[in-house]
């Protein structure tokens, strides 16, 4: 669904320009908003925001989703699932570290050292791979901040690697000409961590509460966490497992309900957490001036608190950039009438159509947190899968943010590095056909129909074929992104045949990006057929630049 700004303002209640979801706006506030300052309400965000050109041109970013949960090398959500009796994480934790009543997740935080972290080398690799922006994890649901936080003592300048990770990434990324972003996942910690207040419902230690339930600040005297309060890490007993649970199945059913509280609110019992979250967000913005903030939230979190954070971020961005709004705020499952007020993110998924407003999909070649089992079974996405996803997303007015899992020691493994190098080899040849482009008259065609929506992506193997084509445009030329190499060396672009109104216009020249030598082509009513040079054969695919007159007339507008 697409919607223009006038319709969107009407849909969220800006009747006559004065009333919005936050209530009536007094005239001085409205005048201030029109003068350029954002106010904490949806009408202000929708009316005043436009995705910056740097983001629309960048198309491809890379992400270091690195936290203490990477230390055990057991994949995602370790800090929550190690407290679920019988789960993979729970079994691994007991085998490696001990029972969670004795050794909780906070001890894993203490084991996180990052001793092999070489951020300069990683950023050089990611820039070589064609990334135009870089995003670093500022905190996850485990509630540990990876920056010098004044409002959360559980931060990596005091614990774990004992470094300002965000500050280091930011400095080095910007030195390399990359835009810098942060991802913020901590708004869910108040409910996500409640498993740490539970207990084994079965077995020899049944009923014995886990570490979070009993530990206090005083228990840390003389230990590595001396002076830190475990309750501020684990967020307090908001909805702990009730007494009397006797089976794992019953406990899992209770935990499932707390896991699924992903609506963006919090009960009165979590009010202090919400206030603290807001302070941490403001400091992250003011101290590191990110070009992009990724919120792992479905809509803005905590209602008015989230709106205040968004308005502050946009206003701050203008103050840093001589009045230009350079900020990107990623949020998920955004209602259509709010989509123009930020940049929608579609986690591990995509769209089946050209979206009116710039958007982003984020994905990973493996699990978000490092997973040794995935490495051992060769379960990573291939470079072809990543690049085909990029071509598909870009053709629909989107960006791709790609995560490469980082081990607890701060390094990536050799299989990951090889995949990144393969991405780099293709992007060095064809990236110029992707950067700075905009949608064409349609996004493309072919036999493969990728699923759309959140969490809709396929497995590690690319499903695309050389008959799958995606189109973008730039400077009056059409770029055809071919998802493979045809066996006969001939590309057939049926959408550019003279017999279809989609392909209207004259074709005068076809080249490869960065190569002025023309390719041989034939144009019939059925297709534009192009002979590919055998010396450039690449199984991942090829990009073609098609010049002529009238080829981009009637393309979708530059949208917003």
């Amino acid at each position: 669904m697409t919607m223009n700004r006038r319709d969107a303002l009407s849909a969220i209640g800006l009747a006559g320009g004065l009333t919005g979801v936050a209530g009536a706006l007094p005239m001085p506030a409205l005048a201030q908003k029109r003068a350029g300052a954002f106010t904490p309400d949806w009408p202000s965000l929708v009316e005043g925001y436009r995705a910056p050109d740097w983001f629309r041109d960048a198309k491809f970013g890379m992400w270091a989703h690195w936290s203490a949960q990477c230390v055990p090398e057991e994949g995602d959500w370790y800090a929550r699932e190690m407290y679920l009796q019988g789960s993979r994480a729970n079994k691994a934790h007991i085998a490696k570290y001990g029972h969670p009543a004795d050794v909780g997740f906070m001890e894993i935080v203490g084991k996180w050292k990052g001793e092999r972290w070489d951020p300069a080398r990683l950023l050089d690799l990611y820039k070589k791979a064609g990334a135009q922006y870089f995003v670093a994890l500022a905190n996850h649901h485990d509630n540990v901040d990876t920056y010098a936080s004044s409002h959360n003592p559980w931060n990596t300048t005091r614990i774990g690697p004992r470094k300002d990770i965000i500050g280091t990434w930011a400095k080095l990324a910007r030195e390399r000409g990359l835009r810098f972003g942060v991802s913020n996942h901590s708004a869910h910690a108040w409910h996500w961590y409640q498993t740490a207040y539970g207990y084994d419902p079965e077995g020899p230690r049944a009923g014995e509460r886990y570490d979070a339930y009993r530990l206090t600040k005083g228990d840390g005297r003389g230990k590595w966490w001396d002076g830190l309060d475990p309750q501020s890490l684990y967020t307090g007993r908001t909805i702990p497992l009730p007494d009397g649970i006797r089976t794992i199945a019953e406990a899992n059913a209770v935990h499932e309900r707390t896991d699924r509280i992903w609506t963006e609110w919090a009960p009165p019992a979590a009010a202090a957490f919400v206030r603290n979250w807001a302070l941490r967000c403001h400091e992250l913005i003011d101290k590191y001036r990110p070009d992009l903030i990724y919120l792992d939230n479905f809509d803005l979190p905590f209602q008015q608190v989230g709106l205040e954070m968004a308005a502050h971020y946009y206003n701050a961005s203008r103050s840093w950039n001589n009045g230009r709004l350079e900020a990107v705020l990623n949020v998920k499952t955004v209602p259509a009438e709010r989509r123009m007020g930020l940049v929608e993110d579609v986690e591990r998924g995509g769209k089946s159509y050209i979206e009116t407003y710039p958007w982003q999909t984020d994905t990973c070649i493996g699990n978000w947190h490092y997973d040794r089992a995935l490495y051992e079974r060769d379960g990573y996405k291939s470079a072809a899968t990543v690049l085909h996803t990029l071509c598909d997303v870009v053709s629909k007015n989107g960006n791709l943010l790609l995560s490469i899992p980082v081990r607890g020691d701060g390094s990536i493994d050799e299989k990951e590095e090889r995949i990144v190098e393969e991405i780099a080899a293709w992007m060095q040849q064809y990236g110029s056909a992707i950067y700075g482009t905009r949608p064409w008259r349609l996004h493309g065609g072919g036999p493969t129909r990728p699923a759309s929506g959140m969490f809709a992506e396929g497995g590690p193997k690319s499903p695309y074929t050389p008959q799958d084509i995606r189109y973008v445009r730039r400077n009056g030329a059409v770029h055809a992104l071919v998802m493979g190499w045809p066996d006969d060396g001939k590309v057939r672009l049926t959408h550019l045949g003279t017999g279809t109104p989609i392909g209207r216009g004259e074709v005068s020249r076809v080249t490869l990006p960065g190569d002025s030598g023309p390719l041989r082509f034939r144009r019939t009513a059925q297709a534009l057929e192009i002979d590919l040079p055998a010396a450039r054969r690449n199984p991942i695919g090829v990009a073609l630049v098609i010049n002529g007159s009238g080829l981009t007339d009637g393309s979708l507008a530059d949208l917003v």
Side-chain angles (χ1 to χ4, degrees), residues 337-404:
E337 67 272 15
R338 296 179 178 178
R339 202 167 293 160
M340 60 289 293
L342 34 76
V343 174
E344 180 189 24
D345 181 85
V346 180
E347 182 175 350
R348 289 191 183 270
K351 292 180 181 282
S352 60
Y353 56 90
I354 297 175
E355 173 61 71
T356 303
Y357 300 97
W359 61 285
Q360 176 180 269
T361 185
D362 66 286
T363 192
C364 184
I365 65 168
N367 282 328
W368 294 119
H369 291 98
Y370 192 83
D371 188 338
R372 184 71 183 180
L374 199 64
Y375 163 86
E376 291 174 348
R377 67 173 184 266
D378 290 329
Y380 294 143
K381 288 185 179 72
S382 67
T385 295
V386 171
L387 290 163
H388 292 165
T389 299
L390 175 64
C391 292
D392 182 66
V393 167
V394 167
S395 75
K396 298 167 183 174
N397 204 29
N399 284 28
L400 171 63
L401 177 62
L402 178 69
S403 178
I404 305 297

Side-chain angles (χ1 to χ4, degrees), residues 256-273:
E256 175 73 10
R257 291 195 291 273
T258 65
D259 172 24
R260 297 306 167 194
I261 304 175
W262 288 77
T263 50
E264 307 309 326
W265 61 278
F273 174 85

Side-chain angles (χ1 to χ4, degrees), residues 3-11:
M3 184 176 293
N4 63 35
R5 290 179 188 273
R6 185 181 300 277
D7 291 340
L9 292 169
S10 176

